[in-house]
Amino acid sequence: MLFKVEMDVKVPLDYDVDHFADLKRKELERFQELQKVGTWRHIWRVVGLYSNISIFDVTSSSELHDVLISLPLYPFMEVRVTALCRHPSSIHDDDR
């Protein structure tokens, strides 16, 4: 199942800079793991914001939930999820 996930990161201004840098490093590692196995298929940065729009490929909404809460920055995220399905006019076979 494909899902569009919009993530806005909201970090308190007084949050410890070193701890946040460590969380970002861990977030990058987790993101790359999920990309390598095909779970996190696409990511785009939203210009001017600490936000992204991503496409996830998972077996269920429960799996997506588990993936999202596993992200080190999840406690600072506002997340919006939209379920997607293949458009019948698509010429791409991997739009499942």
Side-chain angles (χ1 to χ4, degrees):
M1 298 177 71
L2 296 179
F3 291 90
K4 176 183 84 168
V5 179
E6 299 174 63
M7 294 177 246
D8 301 326
V9 180
K10 310 276 186 177
V11 182
L13 294 175
D14 61 347
Y15 197 77
D16 181 81
V17 175
D18 293 329
H19 190 250
F20 187 62
D22 186 51
L23 284 175
K24 288 196 303 186
R25 180 188 55 75
K26 291 176 182 174
E27 182 84 9
L28 176 63
E29 290 172 3
R30 181 70 177 129
F31 164 67
Q32 290 175 341
E33 288 172 10
L34 292 166
Q35 272 195 304
K36 287 175 185 171
V37 298
T39 300
W40 200 324
R41 286 184 50 178
H42 302 283
I43 186 170
W44 294 272
R45 177 176 282 165
V46 178
V47 176
L49 299 173
Y50 196 164
S51 301
N52 73 72
I53 296 173
S54 296
I55 303 297
F56 285 82
D57 189 354
V58 292
T59 58
S60 67
S61 56
S62 293
E63 180 185 355
L64 178 62
H65 177 80
D66 291 342
V67 166
L68 292 174
I69 66 171
S70 77
L71 300 174
L73 290 178
Y74 180 78
F76 302 103
M77 291 180 182
E78 292 179 8
V79 178
R80 290 172 304 286
V81 176
T82 304
L84 303 173
C85 63
R86 185 178 190 282
H87 194 283
S89 298
S90 176
I91 63 170
H92 300 287
D93 292 333
D94 68 341
D95 293 344
R96 54 189 178 338

